[in-house]
Amino acid sequence: MSPSTPQPPRRPSRSRRGPGRASSSASGRRRTPAALRRSPAGQHSTHRHSSEGPDPASRRALVVARQERQRRRSRSRLLYGTTVVVALVLIVVGLRVWGFHPGFALPLDSAATETPSPAPAEAGPSSAPPSARHAASPTAAPSASPSPSASTLPAPRLDAEGFAHSDAVGDGTWTIAPAVPVTRPAAGTVYRYVLQVEGGTHVDAAAAAPIVESTLNDERGWPTAQNTSFEPVADPAAADFVFNIATPPTADALCSPLDTGGMWSCRNATNVVINSDRWNWGSVTYPDVDSYRTYVTNHEVGHFLGHEHEFCAGAGLKAPLMAQQSHELAGGCVYNAWPTQDNQPG
């Protein structure tokens, strides 16, 4: 037997590769790292940004937009707060421009049925039928002797604005003035009033009576403006309202809950209350005491008749009677004590 020819060892067979195809051998196949594999359609890998996701520039744009929105909100809040503060300041300034100064007669609580007024104290509109009887009037205790004459007035104390003050305190007595004759025929509506003066005011009730009556029944006043006349009486029970001339502390008490600050007059319910310092010395806005007495009398009785405050219609015109003229003449108006001369050329 001839010896067999040794056969070279056979090499393991190798599978053929198709052109452009990777090997299917498990041991020789290169695995694509998970970080590089495509995600299912419509999704992208958490380790890789797809072409549809925001690039860094987009993220920066979102951050900038968010910051801009926050800045706009902050500016809006600041603008709103500033607007509220400015509105409050304008309201306060407007009130002062129109004469609502601290110490003027302003309502202290919502329960007050009457509105106040500075020296010409403000009063709310109210119907005051002739049948009304005075309420909350001071104790009417007629005195046998009148109050001291104005000639005995002590020297007043002047404040920084030039207003005179007596620092007088009432003695608790009241003098009812005599019912002086009426100087004008009765009009369509007649209101009866009683005039009483507090002791300690240095006001003579008998001397004040004709001043009040002639003012109220003057043809330039309410008789012409409202077809109304006034009849003084000596019996408080027969009066539709009480005309009081009182010392500053008593005037404040009669005007309460209105705040007259020891200086101003008011109308409160059926009480017309004149601060005796203003009756005796007037106001810095009027050239003399007599014209101021006319003004404050007509103004406060105007509140009793239901008239509210009015305002200057233009510089150089006469102020409306119901404007607050005791402290200042707002708007450039000229002083005026008669309702029939409102807004006329000064």
Side-chain angles (χ1 to χ4, degrees):
M1 171 183 274
S2 58
S4 60
T5 304
Q7 300 291 327
R10 300 179 64 181
R11 285 182 286 185
S13 62
R14 296 168 61 184
S15 59
R16 295 183 180 181
R17 298 180 185 175
R21 297 173 63 183
S23 169
S24 62
S25 168
S27 61
R29 185 175 61 189
R30 297 179 64 186
R31 296 177 179 270
T32 303
L36 300 178
R37 287 202 298 269
R38 301 281 299 180
S39 297
Q43 300 181 4
H44 65 275
S45 170
T46 58
H47 300 283
R48 173 179 180 175
H49 294 286
S50 71
S51 59
E52 298 177 359
D55 57 17
S58 299
R59 287 200 303 273
R60 285 195 297 273
L62 290 173
V63 171
V64 171
R66 186 181 303 111
Q67 292 174 344
E68 180 62 25
R69 286 195 299 271
Q70 291 174 348
R71 283 194 292 269
R72 284 199 298 266
R73 284 196 293 268
S74 298
R75 285 195 297 267
S76 297
R77 294 191 192 101
L78 179 61
L79 179 61
Y80 177 77
T82 303
T83 302
V84 171
V85 172
V86 170
L88 292 175
V89 171
L90 289 177
I91 290 172
V92 172
V93 171
L95 291 176
R96 292 189 64 84
V97 167
W98 291 115
F100 288 90
H101 296 269
F104 282 14
L106 298 176
L108 301 182
D109 56 54
S110 59
T113 58
E114 308 298 332
T115 49
S117 109
E122 180 180 348
S126 65
S127 58
S131 59
R133 293 296 177 261
H134 77 285
S137 69
T139 304
S143 172
S145 58
S147 300
S149 168
S151 61
T152 63
L153 275 175
R157 169 180 60 85
L158 298 181
D159 63 20
E161 295 180 280
F163 286 92
H165 301 269
S166 67
D167 300 319
V169 177
D171 62 10
T173 64
W174 291 87
T175 299
I176 295 181
V180 296
V182 176
T183 57
R184 186 179 182 85
T189 302
V190 178
Y191 290 100
R192 296 178 178 85
Y193 70 93
V194 63
L195 167 63
Q196 59 182 19
V197 177
E198 184 185 19
T201 59
H202 299 285
V203 176
D204 186 337
I211 297 174
V212 174
E213 189 281 329
S214 62
T215 298
L216 292 178
N217 287 316
D218 192 287
E219 63 179 4
R220 295 167 291 179
W222 295 117
T224 300
Q226 195 167 310
N227 193 26
T228 297
S229 61
F230 300 87
E231 179 185 348
V233 296
D235 181 8
D240 299 311
F241 67 93
V242 179
F243 192 100
N244 306 273
I245 300 177
T247 58
T250 304
D252 287 350
L254 290 175
C255 290
S256 179
L258 313 179
D259 181 11
T260 45
M263 187 168 179
W264 309 115
S265 305
C266 79
R267 188 278 309 204
N268 193 355
T270 54
N271 275 301
V272 169
V273 183
I274 308 300
N275 184 297
S276 61
D277 286 354
R278 303 285 69 77
W279 181 269
N280 286 328
W281 289 291
S283 165
V284 296
T285 56
Y286 271 74
D288 56 75
V289 173
D290 291 337
S291 59
Y292 181 78
R293 287 175 180 172
T294 299
Y295 163 73
V296 75
T297 297
N298 280 327
H299 182 100
E300 298 306 340
V301 172
H303 282 311
F304 169 77
L305 296 175
H307 295 275
E308 285 282 9
H309 279 152
E310 299 178 20
F311 304 100
C312 177
L317 300 179
K318 290 186 177 181
L321 169 70
M322 296 310 297
Q324 295 174 306
Q325 303 177 42
S326 289
H327 188 272
E328 64 183 356
L329 293 169
C333 272
V334 180
Y335 71 90
N336 169 42
W338 301 103
T340 56
Q341 297 181 6
D342 289 0
N343 301 316
Q344 292 183 6

